């Protein structure tokens, strides 16, 4: 697997997949020894995200998925049916939608347990490096009244969840109030609390996150921030065009191409990314925080109402309907953008988001020539 990765991605670090020193020893080495060893380069321990990337590739054959997902058609099981396709139990029998949901949860839970069970993985937020701990604590919202923690992920309906928290706390009358969302006021962040208060809530409160197909989330962030928000065009767009386009000095940042955006992500340090395109894993740290529920953007209303019922929110509170002006990213739109992007660029970017694809059971993007011609 390591040889195939180095062949496909020549720039892959040797430290991620070290070659066995002698063929005979490689045969006798136990598989568990690899997970126990701490790979070092220049005296520093390999970052957890990179180590887990290696663990997943080695243990679950994800490299094969990457190769075949890019070079051959991928037909994943329908784990993420569209919203509204789920049916409830009828006559005591489990409907197909319920079975798909249980299969998805089982896959996620098993994968997370397998990856997070490695000795080098963090067991709590206090084992994280300071910068990673600050990130996750800044994204955990607290409801003391209903005793839950919600890790918000930008571009995964987090604005509507923040509205719900404000309604639950009495700061908003209802979730449909038409006003610009203030993402800081009237919200309680776990990072603003003392260590003993943080520990108590992590141990005793119901914890949940909502996830989304990583490729779709990136496209949604690109279209929204560079197509609609002048602040992002000036702050990020101008810099991206200056870096990757000849004679782009006069651009005001409103014409960034999707390929330029992906090149920018490829060159960015994951830990320093803007939250709108930082991987979900880095935002919410599912190894350090054991979430009780992982909801899907693909069945947002069903999963959101499941959470609201679980925390015993008032019955009049339901997840807000999608606004009429909102333009969702469809499968066709996503395929159009991906198929008009260099395959090499997509392949090189995948390792940065591989944990989001694998831990949350999303298929890798298919950009084969045959698929894109169709």
């Amino acid at each position: 697997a390591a040889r195939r990765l180095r062949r496909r991605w020549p720039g892959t670090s040797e430290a991620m997949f070290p070659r066995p020193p002698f063929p005979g020893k490689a045969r006798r080495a136990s598989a568990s020894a690899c997970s126990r060893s701490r790979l070092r380069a220049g005296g520093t321990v390999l970052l957890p995200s990179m180590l887990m990337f290696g663990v997943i590739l080695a243990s679950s054959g994800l490299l094969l998925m990457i190769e075949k997902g890019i070079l051959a058609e991928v037909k994943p099981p329908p784990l993420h049916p569209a919203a509204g396709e789920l049916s409830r139990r009828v006559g005591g029998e489990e409907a197909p939608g319920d079975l798909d949901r249980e299969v998805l949860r089982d896959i996620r839970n098993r994968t997370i347990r397998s990856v997070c069970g490695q000795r080098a993985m963090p067991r709590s937020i206090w084992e994280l490096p300071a910068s990673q701990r600050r990130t996750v604590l800044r994204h955990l919202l607290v409801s003391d009244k209903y005793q839950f923690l919600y890790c918000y992920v930008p571009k995964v309906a987090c604005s509507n969840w923040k509205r719900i928290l404000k309604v639950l706390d009495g700061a908003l009358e209802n979730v449909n109030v038409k006003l610009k969302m203030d993402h800081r006021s009237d919200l309680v962040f776990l990072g603003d609390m003392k260590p003993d208060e943080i520990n108590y809530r992590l141990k005793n409160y119901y914890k949940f996150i909502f996830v989304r197909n990583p490729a779709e989330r990136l496209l949604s962030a690109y279209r929204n921030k560079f197509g609609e928000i002048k602040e992002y065009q000036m702050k990020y767009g101008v810099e991206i065009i200056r870096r990757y386009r000849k004679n782009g000095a006069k651009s005001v940042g409103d014409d960034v191409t999707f390929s330029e955006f992906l090149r920018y992500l490829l060159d960015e340090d994951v830990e320093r990314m803007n939250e709108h395109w930082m991987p979900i894993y880095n935002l919410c740290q599912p190894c350090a925080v054991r979430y009780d529920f992982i909801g899907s953007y693909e069945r947002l209303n069903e999963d959101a109402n499941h959470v609201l019922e679980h925390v015993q929110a008032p019955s009049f509170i339901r997840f807000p309907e999608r606004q009429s002006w909102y333009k969702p990213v469809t499968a066709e739109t996503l395929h159009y953008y991906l198929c008009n992007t260099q395959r090499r660029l997509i392949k090189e970017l995948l390792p940065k988001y591989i944990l989001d694809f694998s831990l949350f059971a999303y298929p890798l993007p298919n950009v084969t020539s045959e698929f894109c011609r169709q």
Side-chain angles (χ1 to χ4, degrees):
R3 283 197 300 272
R4 283 201 299 273
L5 182 64
R6 280 189 287 267
R7 207 160 50 237
R8 295 293 181 192
W9 295 327
T12 301
S13 168
E14 190 76 21
M16 289 174 59
F17 296 95
R19 301 177 188 274
F22 303 103
K25 289 186 179 180
R27 187 173 301 174
R28 292 192 299 270
S30 67
S32 61
C34 293
S35 62
R36 291 196 302 268
S37 65
R38 291 177 176 256
L39 308 177
R40 296 180 180 269
T44 59
V45 179
L46 194 65
L47 289 175
S49 59
M50 300 300 284
L51 176 58
M52 279 188 288
F53 176 40
V55 170
I56 293 174
L57 287 176
S59 63
S60 65
L62 195 57
L63 174 62
L64 211 53
M65 291 172 59
I66 292 177
E67 287 199 56
K68 294 185 180 298
I70 295 295
L71 303 176
E73 185 176 0
V74 174
K75 294 181 180 179
L79 296 179
H80 291 275
E85 290 184 6
L86 292 178
S87 53
R88 299 183 179 277
R89 292 174 182 267
V90 179
E93 296 183 0
E94 198 166 75
D98 295 314
L99 179 60
D100 287 342
R101 180 164 48 198
E102 291 305 314
V103 169
L104 173 60
R105 287 178 183 171
D106 185 61
I107 289 174
R108 283 177 175 164
N109 291 338
R110 287 174 182 269
T111 307
I112 291 174
R113 281 199 302 268
S114 175
V115 172
C116 297
Q118 301 298 319
R119 181 174 295 183
M121 295 302 102
R123 297 295 193 275
S124 76
I125 61 168
W126 307 113
E127 295 182 18
L128 294 169
S131 62
Q132 295 180 16
R133 182 166 61 250
R134 282 194 300 269
T135 296
V136 67
L137 289 177
R138 281 202 306 261
H139 286 82
L140 281 165
L141 293 168
V142 183
S143 172
D144 283 326
K145 184 176 181 180
Y146 292 92
Q147 298 191 346
F148 68 76
L149 301 177
Y150 160 58
C151 186
Y152 80 87
V153 178
K155 308 313 298 178
V156 191
C158 73
S159 295
N160 280 338
W161 270 113
K162 289 175 181 177
R163 284 177 179 269
I164 287 178
L165 265 76
K166 292 186 179 190
V167 172
L168 290 175
D169 197 43
L172 274 184
E173 183 178 349
N174 63 71
V175 296
N176 297 314
V177 172
K178 297 187 183 302
L179 51 79
K180 185 178 180 180
M181 170 56 63
D182 186 325
H183 291 269
R184 297 296 305 178
S185 68
D186 300 316
L187 294 169
V188 180
F189 295 84
L190 194 61
D192 294 332
M193 297 183 172
K194 298 177 181 178
D196 58 336
E197 297 173 328
I198 292 172
N199 285 333
Y200 176 82
R201 286 160 178 78
L202 286 171
K203 181 179 179 181
N204 295 288
Y205 281 17
Y206 182 72
K207 300 173 288 294
F208 68 93
I209 58 174
F210 274 71
V211 298
R212 185 178 187 180
N213 182 306
E216 184 180 304
R217 177 172 170 252
L218 286 181
L219 178 56
S220 178
Y222 163 75
R223 294 207 307 174
N224 173 237
K225 300 308 175 187
F226 297 104
E228 302 172 8
I229 314 270
K230 190 165 185 177
E231 177 188 350
Y232 277 78
Q233 294 168 1
M234 295 298 295
K235 183 176 181 179
Y236 295 99
V238 170
E239 171 64 17
I240 290 172
I241 291 173
R242 186 188 64 80
R243 279 197 208 178
Y244 305 112
R245 192 185 303 176
K246 293 181 180 179
N247 304 319
K250 295 183 179 180
S251 173
V252 295
D254 60 351
D255 57 342
V256 176
T257 68
F258 189 57
S259 293
E260 289 170 336
F261 174 56
L262 296 189
R263 287 183 66 187
Y264 168 73
L265 297 181
L266 185 61
D267 292 339
E268 279 291 283
D269 179 0
V270 168
E271 295 298 332
R272 297 185 180 186
M273 282 184 176
N274 180 280
E275 63 176 8
H276 289 85
W277 43 80
M278 182 182 284
I280 298 173
Y281 175 84
N282 298 82
L283 290 172
C284 294
Q285 295 290 345
C287 287
V289 180
R290 302 302 171 93
Y291 293 96
D292 300 292
F293 183 79
I294 300 176
S296 296
Y297 185 84
E298 291 74 18
R299 42 171 160 251
L300 185 57
N301 288 332
E302 290 90 344
D303 284 355
N305 288 327
H306 168 84
V307 170
L308 291 172
E309 290 174 8
H310 184 91
V311 301
Q312 298 183 335
S315 58
F316 70 87
I317 297 180
R318 282 291 178 265
F319 201 76
E321 294 294 329
R322 182 175 288 163
Q323 299 292 333
S324 58
W325 48 262
Y326 179 73
K327 296 179 180 179
V329 174
T330 65
E332 291 76 15
T333 306
L334 179 61
H335 294 155
Y336 173 83
Y337 276 91
L338 292 176
C339 287
N340 283 281
T341 302
Q342 288 183 328
R343 276 181 281 179
R344 176 192 58 79
L345 183 57
I346 296 173
K347 288 168 64 176
E348 291 176 351
L349 187 61
L350 277 178
K352 285 194 171 181
Y353 294 89
I354 202 66
L355 286 171
D356 285 3
F357 280 106
S358 59
L359 290 181
F360 307 127
Y362 285 103
L364 293 162
N366 183 0
V367 289
T368 62
S369 298
E370 179 183 358
F371 179 79
C372 288
R373 278 198 300 270
Q374 295 173 356

